[in-house]
Amino acid sequence: AQKVTQAQTEISVVEKEDVTLDCVYETRDTTYYLFWYKQPPSGELVFLIRRNSFDEQNEISGRYSWNFQKSTSSFNFTITASQVVDSAVYFCALRINTGGFKTIFGAGTRLFVKA
Amino acid sequence: DTAVSQTPKYLVTQMGNDKSIKCEQNLGHDTMYWYKQDSKKFLKIMFSYNNKELIINETVPNRFSPKSPDKAHLNLHINSLELGDSAVYFCASSQGQGVQPQHFGDGTRLSIL
């Protein structure tokens, strides 16, 4: 079965704290893609990062970093020195080929960053 | 300049009515999607079209009928609206179906009275 689990429903931090959003996925496919999207209070969905199953290199983009570990089927997302503007719902997603590529989203983690 | 645009942004209507949501993308992508986001923020794929052909149909009631007149458009028509159809519907597009990320529209909030 293909599945994405974001166990943290809500996280609340104070500005400047670091925060890690967990994502665990399940698939039997050897080729797959992982994504993170951000949905701010305004409602739009914004693409943040993509990883393919053959590339386990971690990535850093400004205050954002991602840790992909195939051994634990995890693709965690860390925000360092969080800011109020980081408040949003963050979705982890898995794309697999099931006779047509399908993207399966996790339930999302709502992050509140307080000033 | 908007890459993926959906209209209308808000749709309030009564049970039993028929309504349409339009989606257009100007990114030159060949694949378009409809997603439904429920009140708990859960996002689920409904349909996927590649070059105007239906690729994915995720056990959506046949009251929902997508139509893709060309690669840049994927409209969603809903017949006999029910209370459970209340949700935010997102259109998205991507180049190909695999590695490229999906670009989402701003969503259409559908409320059934």
Side-chain angles (χ1 to χ4, degrees), chain B residues 5-34:
Chain B
S5 60
Q6 304 177 220
T7 52
K9 194 171 171 66
Y10 299 97
L11 189 48
V12 181
T13 189
Q14 298 210 328
M15 229 166 40
N17 284 351
D18 303 339
K19 288 293 177 189
S20 291
I21 307 172
K22 293 185 176 179
C23 180
E24 175 182 6
Q25 53 95 4
N26 62 7
L27 296 165
H29 290 165
D30 59 4
T31 306
M32 294 185 73
Y33 312 80
W34 277 108

Side-chain angles (χ1 to χ4, degrees), chain A residues 2-115:
Chain A
Q2 337 282 355
K3 194 176 167 184
V4 176
T5 302
Q6 294 180 253
Q8 304 146 308
T9 309
E10 286 187 4
I11 301 175
S12 186
V13 299
V14 176
E15 229 179 357
K16 297 185 185 171
E17 280 186 29
D18 297 349
V19 58
T20 295
L21 311 182
D22 297 333
C23 173
V24 173
Y25 61 92
E26 289 176 36
T27 180
R28 289 199 180 116
D29 289 20
T30 53
T31 301
Y32 52 88
Y33 306 95
L34 295 162
F35 301 81
W36 275 95
Y37 286 87
K38 174 182 180 180
Q39 187 173 37
S42 47
E44 71 273 23
L45 278 154
V46 179
F47 163 72
L48 295 178
I49 192 172
R50 172 197 68 223
R51 263 285 168 271
N52 71 47
S53 51
F54 300 115
D55 181 2
E56 279 194 79
Q57 222 175 8
N58 291 329
E59 180 154 340
I60 298 175
S61 174
R63 296 183 297 106
Y64 294 172
S65 61
W66 290 269
N67 184 348
F68 175 30
Q69 294 203 345
K70 282 178 81 168
S71 59
T72 54
S73 296
S74 64
F75 186 41
N76 297 337
F77 172 29
T78 297
I79 302 174
T80 56
S82 59
Q83 299 176 2
V84 172
V85 293
D86 296 327
S87 297
V89 180
Y90 291 86
F91 292 95
C92 180
L94 166 70
R95 187 176 297 167
I96 50 169
N97 190 353
T98 60
F101 279 90
K102 187 165 100 173
T103 303
I104 300 159
F105 282 81
T109 296
R110 188 182 292 272
L111 174 65
F112 295 98
V113 181
K114 300 178 211 172

